[in-house]
Amino acid sequence: MAKRDYYEVLGVQKGATKDDIKKAYRKLAIQYHPDKNQGNKEAEEKFKEATEAYEILSDDQKKAAYDQFGFAGVEGMGGQQDFSSAFRDFGDLFGDFSSIFDTFFGSSGRRSSSGTGVRQGANLRYDVDISFKDAVFGTKVEIQYSRNEACPVCKGTGASSGTGKKVCSTCGGSGQVRHSQGFFSVASTCPNCGGEGYIIEHPCKECNGSGTQKKRQKIMVTVPPGVENGKRVLIPRQGDTGPNGGPPGDLYVFFRVKPHEYFERQDMDLYCAVPISISQAALGADIHVMTLDGKTIKVKVPPGIQNGKMLRIRDEGIPAGPGGRRGNLYIKLMIQIPTKLSRRGKELMEELARVEGEEDSPKPIPLAELSEQ
């Protein structure tokens, strides 16, 4: 196959700057790198083609010869016979793109450049059960859980008193070893120190060299008013302490709200059902209803109210945070039909039926009316 023009391969103009050439090659190298396209011969060829073009155009002498004489001007000056010189400035070429190469080529995670392995500790989760009322109005709860804390004997170093850590001879303290893979030098976790960059020759007997110990801890957690089931709060720096004196992670407390016997919520509103008698429904009445916070309120039932109708009581629902406006309380009226009547009660009901002329052949209720109830 005929060779393509180097500028065409990299997708740049003939007058492109060194920086433009570097950027263009960097993009192609990431796209067609063999580690990302294993077994893809076409990608491998494109990678070699781009590498050859970059080797020539990134070198002032070779570029000048190519610009004047074409491929003939660079014969014997490198080209496709030797790609190694294109990667002598590997760190400069790909330094700003380390995160991309970590993703493509399996970096083992971020560590400090000094190889000390200092990193943040793990975040923890704690689930706490709270009552429906406490979830609505807020409260404080004490929780007890286990977390990793710095060993009090070695102060988190993992080494016995009077000893220290020895720099890993395999990786020189970097936590990584490099090996050639294709045209690139690829880093992997050091097998000797596990990526820590050091070896503890005399581990602390208290923590067996881990630098941390499990401890039980009690803390008070504030339950914000109006919290919903499954919501969480973040408590900073109350997670596990990090290795080698690293900062602690965070604690996430999740709330599991127990159902209430009489009330349920929808967003910021509360709902409950209250029974009334036939006479209260027909004649109207003032009834007294207990709210969630324990106070009694008077509710006016209008005459002729139908079964299942809702009455709204403003500002007796869920608080919208401290000092915030509350939602509403909705009372569903359930007309109770007596299952047993006294003799006098039965006489009165029969008299009512005669006076009101009750139908013994009632017509069906239109569906439109049912939907409005």
Side-chain angles (χ1 to χ4, degrees), residues 67-217:
D67 288 345
Q68 187 171 3
F69 302 108
F71 293 116
V74 293
E75 287 183 3
M77 298 180 67
Q80 68 184 78
Q81 286 79 21
D82 179 13
F83 300 112
S84 61
S85 62
F87 303 100
R88 290 171 187 160
D89 60 343
F90 178 82
D92 174 60
L93 181 62
F94 291 100
D96 296 336
F97 287 76
S98 60
S99 62
I100 297 176
F101 275 82
D102 286 348
T103 301
F104 287 161
F105 309 136
S107 174
S108 60
R110 295 185 178 180
R111 301 181 182 271
S112 63
S113 59
S114 61
T116 60
V118 175
R119 54 189 181 274
Q120 186 176 16
N123 295 330
L124 298 179
R125 169 175 176 154
Y126 188 94
D127 293 80
V128 59
D129 294 318
I130 56 175
S131 70
F132 187 91
K133 185 175 179 179
D134 284 342
V136 170
F137 299 110
T139 188
K140 289 182 181 292
V141 295
E142 183 181 75
I143 66 172
Q144 185 177 96
Y145 67 103
S146 297
R147 66 187 289 254
N148 286 335
E149 295 183 358
C151 173
V153 175
C154 66
K155 309 301 182 186
T157 65
S160 295
S161 179
T163 67
K165 303 172 183 178
K166 179 182 178 181
V167 174
C168 176
S169 59
T170 302
C171 64
S174 68
Q176 296 181 326
V177 292
R178 308 190 73 87
H179 58 90
S180 297
Q181 187 168 347
F183 297 107
F184 284 91
S185 177
V186 180
S188 60
T189 301
C190 176
N192 188 37
C193 66
E196 298 297 337
Y198 61 86
I199 301 294
I200 300 177
E201 294 184 305
H202 302 285
C204 170
K205 295 181 179 179
E206 184 71 18
C207 64
N208 295 320
S210 67
T212 61
Q213 284 187 324
K214 282 287 184 185
K215 296 288 185 180
R216 296 290 291 175
Q217 174 170 291

Side-chain angles (χ1 to χ4, degrees), residues 20 161 232 240-241 251:
D20 291 336
S161 179
R232 70 184 187 186
D240 282 342
T241 297
L251 172 66

